[in-house]
Each structure stands twice: as structure tokens, then as C-alpha cells.
Amino acid sequence: ITLMPSSSQPYRLRNICRCSHKKSIPALQERERLVDLVSQRFQGRFDNLDQVLLDQASGLDPLDVHERFDCLIQPIKLTKDEPRGGGSRSNIVPDPCIALYYFDGEPTKLFRIRYYSFHHVPDAPHAANSATGGGDVLGDDPGAETKRDGVFLQMRLWKLPQPWASEVRQAAADGIAIAADVAARLLVGSVQEAERAATDRGGEAGTLVGVGTTAPDEDDVVPLQLLSPCSELVGCEVVWEYDSTNDDLRAEMLEGSCVVDSERTPGKQIRVTDELILNDLQLSINDCGFDTDTGALIYGNRKGIPYLLQRRTP
């Protein structure tokens, strides 16, 4: 199934490029390594209980103590036999994931449900961003093209429709793993139904166009299409890269931040920032939300200290 590029111009990397690392091995080999590391590390159950206990023992102001939350990330396979990316080694991407976030180690306190899909960022000259006045994204040369130095993997965020979210929340009463299985079943069932409908109309399965997408990208082939009724959080994409110096995977938002509708207060918008660092033992999340009207912090650590989630299961 071919997934089209996001309508939010996902290849603008003016923030990411500043911290990219000089290539020392061929680009294809770097791409394969990045895909393998994201596939291996971006799954499992994590929590920041150790950090919370340390905060409390340190006598911090209660407002500076991190909230306790857990995260379960589970890859989703559409079929058992279909390789990620349609079989071409250069196109392979990690399997899509379901991610469930919940407070205090209690699945019934589920506060965020997301699907994540992965897409390659073409390693090609990058045209100047007209929104910045036509100048070079990183330099001062107007109208110049910028060659990105590094290999990146884009992760797009998808929100479940309300009926699906309600079903997942109900399943969480029986355990977070069961809730994740329900979310995976709903998505896979929707994709398979859409493919059957396309075939019945005389089309070919595997060529469906997804929600929130525009023109096709021949190098961006994934084995799972996120179709309606799922909705993409356009503008909230993050890009992963590998930091060989620290053996970390690092991710930042393409535009530094994005604006989303509040899920708790209808009509309210929140400006979100997010930075991730992932290794074999820990997932660091520096996720903050700000009131778009006042700039006040709505969620996240007020000192900007990331949430340090330890890996509890592979």
C-alpha cells in the first residue's frame, strides 16, 4: 500500500539539520541501520517511576515533581508475509505502531492514544523555504538549495476516531496489552475492508490514497495505510536520526512545534513541543503544551526537564 506525503510539507528540516551528523558510511547502509534501530527500540513498555521517586526523595517543590506515566508501544503488522516497504531494501520502513499513554501505572487512566507511521525522507537537495523569504534553510544564500547532511526517518502521528478511542479505553479495564490489541485490530480491519472495497470497484489492492495526503512519493512505500476514519495530526510530524556518538536515536518536530485542538476543552488550541531520545534502556520525552492565547504551560515539566522513562519490557 502506498502512503502519500503529508500535506504539511514534511521534508522541511530546518530544525533537524542543525544537529545532523556527518556521514561516514554509505547512505543506504545508514538508512538500513536507522530503520533497524527504530524497529528494535521503538517498542515495549516504559515508565518514569524511578524519576518520580528520585524527585520526591530530593525534596523538590511538588510542582517540579514529574507526573508518573507509562507508555506501551506496540508494532502493528498488516500481514505475516509482507515485508515492510514492499520488499525493496531501500524502501523498507519500521512497522506502524500503536502507542498508549496512561497515568500512575493504571491502564484505566489512559490519556493519549496514537497511531504512528514511518516514512523515509529523501536524501536529495532541499529547495529553499518560501515561508522564510526564499533564503537558504540553514544559511544566508537566497534561493539556494541545501543538501541535508544525514539520514532521517519521518514519523507521522494519527488520532483515532472517537468510537475507536472509546472501545480502546473500555478494553483498558482488562489490561493495557488488551487495549493495544483492540486498537491494532480496529486499524487492520479498517485497512483490509478498504482494500476489499477498492478491489470490488476494479482497482488494485495496495494503491489506496490515505487521509491527509497529497501527491505520491515512489520512495515512500509502507505496508499499512492509515485510512479514514483516522485523522493525521498534520504539522506534528517528527524526524528521527541516529547519533552515533552516543548510540542514541533522536527525534524533533519538523517545525519545532505544532498547534493542535485540545482534547479536553472544545474550541481550545494548544501549541505543542516535543523532543525524544531513545536508547536500549530509556526513552526520554520532553513534551510540553502551551496555551496559544497566553503562552502559559498547560502540561509538561515547568523547568523543561524531560520525562525519563525506563524500559520495562523489550
Side-chain angles (χ1 to χ4, degrees):
I1 298 173
T2 302
L3 191 61
M4 312 306 182
S6 167
S7 57
S8 63
Q9 295 180 283
Y11 304 140
R12 290 185 293 175
L13 300 176
R14 60 175 177 265
N15 297 311
I16 301 300
C17 291
R18 295 192 184 99
C19 60
S20 50
H21 305 280
K22 188 174 182 179
K23 296 181 184 179
S24 58
I25 56 178
L28 178 57
Q29 188 175 344
E30 281 200 9
R31 175 180 287 191
E32 292 173 355
R33 179 176 63 181
L34 178 59
V35 168
D36 288 342
L37 285 173
V38 171
S39 299
Q40 294 164 12
R41 294 179 179 179
F42 198 66
Q43 61 176 306
R45 190 181 71 80
F46 303 81
D47 70 58
N48 69 328
L49 177 60
D50 294 351
Q51 181 183 37
V52 172
L53 294 176
L54 181 60
D55 285 354
Q56 294 171 342
S58 300
L60 294 179
D61 185 310
L63 293 177
D64 293 329
V65 174
H66 287 79
E67 302 96 335
R68 157 78 190 276
F69 75 88
D70 295 42
C71 172
L72 175 65
I73 303 172
Q74 179 174 304
I76 302 172
K77 286 188 177 293
L78 183 60
T79 68
K80 293 182 179 179
D81 301 324
E82 183 178 4
R84 301 187 309 272
S88 169
R89 186 60 181 164
S90 63
N91 284 342
I92 288 178
V93 294
D95 291 318
C97 299
I98 176 68
L100 306 178
Y101 300 84
Y102 52 104
F103 288 121
D104 301 325
E106 300 181 23
T108 54
K109 294 184 178 180
L110 192 60
F111 68 89
R112 184 178 297 166
I113 309 171
R114 292 287 183 264
Y115 289 130
Y116 298 134
S117 62
F118 296 91
H119 313 269
H120 284 300
V121 177
D123 186 22
H126 174 57
N129 179 11
S130 60
T132 61
D136 183 355
V137 173
L138 298 179
D140 299 319
D141 182 10
E145 287 189 338
T146 301
K147 183 72 173 181
R148 287 192 301 274
D149 184 15
V151 174
F152 306 95
L153 190 64
Q154 184 196 78
M155 184 172 77
R156 299 179 195 166
L157 287 64
W158 301 79
K159 183 179 176 181
L160 279 67
Q162 189 56 48
W164 289 16
S166 296
E167 189 169 344
V168 173
R169 292 180 190 280
Q170 291 175 1
D174 296 320
I176 199 64
I178 293 177
D181 288 342
V182 168
R185 173 179 55 79
L186 288 167
L187 181 58
V188 171
S190 176
V191 171
Q192 292 174 341
E193 181 179 349
E195 285 209 310
R196 286 193 296 269
T199 302
D200 292 342
R201 291 194 301 268
E204 295 183 3
T207 58
L208 299 173
V209 178
V211 172
T213 60
T214 53
D217 180 352
E218 294 179 356
D219 292 328
D220 194 10
V221 181
V222 295
L224 181 61
Q225 179 61 283
L226 294 171
L227 298 168
S228 181
C230 296
S231 55
E232 182 182 0
L233 295 176
V234 177
C236 295
E237 304 89 352
V238 301
V239 171
W240 289 95
E241 67 170 335
Y242 177 59
D243 177 359
S244 58
T245 302
N246 298 299
D247 190 28
D248 287 331
L249 292 167
R250 296 172 178 262
E252 297 182 13
M253 283 188 163
L254 290 169
E255 301 296 337
S257 66
C258 69
V259 175
V260 300
D261 294 328
S262 171
E263 297 184 21
R264 295 184 178 181
T265 308
K268 188 71 175 176
Q269 289 192 314
I270 300 173
R271 182 176 65 85
V272 176
T273 62
D274 197 9
E275 296 178 349
L276 308 170
I277 301 176
L278 175 63
N279 57 39
D280 288 331
L281 302 177
Q282 180 176 271
L283 172 61
S284 169
I285 303 177
N286 196 1
D287 180 17
C288 297
F290 303 89
D291 189 307
T292 54
D293 295 324
T294 66
L297 181 70
I298 296 176
Y299 67 83
N301 184 266
R302 67 175 184 171
K303 291 187 175 181
I305 300 174
Y307 294 82
L308 304 178
L309 284 73
Q310 305 302 312
R311 183 184 298 277
R312 303 305 182 187
T313 62

